[in-house]
Amino acid sequence: MEFQIKLFSELNTTELYNILQLRSEVFVVEQDCVYQDIDFKDQKSLHVFGYKVDKIVAYTRIFKPGDYFENASIGRVVVKDSERTYGYGHDLMKASIKAVKDHFNETKITISAQKYLKKFYETHQFVQVGEEYLEDGIPHIKMIKSK
């Protein structure tokens, strides 16, 4: 998988459309969650996305410290359903963590993780901080990676 990292202003309309379609496909349709995905935070973030045969199948957006959480952060972590068996989620997280380090010179990262993915994020050295909470009706936990 080939990963690209772009500012919002660098995305072309096809890339933006494909990113928004993937996020909607997973977060709204697959997870049956009606929420406002287009939240005007995309303009502040760097977009990390993975291509497979000219299709975007994996995506995150990353923020510098203070733009979303006190620490740098990774959000909207998504891999197309049909591509999850290949381990692309791990590749995506590695690329996103590296992008945070390369672009923001930060190693402390906060995420708001869907609770059922706790073990997945723990494999990337994230640790739960605090109690479970609901975000858009889905159980979430705050997790921090310190190094």
Side-chain angles (χ1 to χ4, degrees), residues 84-96:
R84 292 182 193 148
T85 59
Y86 303 110
Y88 295 144
H90 292 288
D91 297 338
L92 175 63
M93 283 305 295
K94 288 174 190 170
S96 299

Side-chain angles (χ1 to χ4, degrees), residues 4-115:
Q4 292 190 20
I5 301 163
K6 292 187 177 185
L7 293 166
F8 183 81
S9 61
E10 296 171 327
L11 295 170
N12 65 44
T13 55
T14 300
E15 289 167 335
L16 179 59
Y17 189 89
N18 288 327
I19 288 166
L20 294 175
Q21 189 280 329
L22 177 61
R23 286 177 13 187
S24 178
E25 176 183 315
V26 174
F27 297 131
V28 178
V29 177
E30 179 184 322
Q31 295 185 350
D32 193 24
C33 181
V34 177
Y35 82 110
Q36 186 62 49
D37 177 48
I38 300 173
D39 58 4
F40 294 98
K41 293 179 182 166
D42 291 313
Q43 291 89 331
K44 286 183 166 186
S45 62
L46 277 175
H47 301 269
V48 180
F49 48 101
Y51 277 98
K52 182 178 178 185
V53 192
D54 298 327
K55 293 227 184 240
I56 295 175
V57 299
Y59 169 85
T60 65
R61 64 183 185 182
I62 62 174
F63 295 91
K64 71 181 186 293
D67 274 356
Y68 197 86
F69 288 109
E70 180 182 336
N71 304 318
S73 62
I74 300 171
R76 296 293 199 269
V77 180
V78 62
V79 175
K80 186 170 183 60
D81 182 35
S82 61
E83 303 297 327
R84 292 182 193 148
T85 59
Y86 303 110
Y88 295 144
H90 292 288
D91 297 338
L92 175 63
M93 283 305 295
K94 288 174 190 170
S96 299
I97 291 165
K98 183 179 183 318
V100 168
K101 185 168 191 229
D102 292 349
H103 291 269
F104 306 138
N105 197 29
E106 294 286 337
T107 56
K108 191 169 186 181
I109 302 169
T110 299
I111 60 172
S112 178
Q114 291 186 6
K115 185 181 176 190

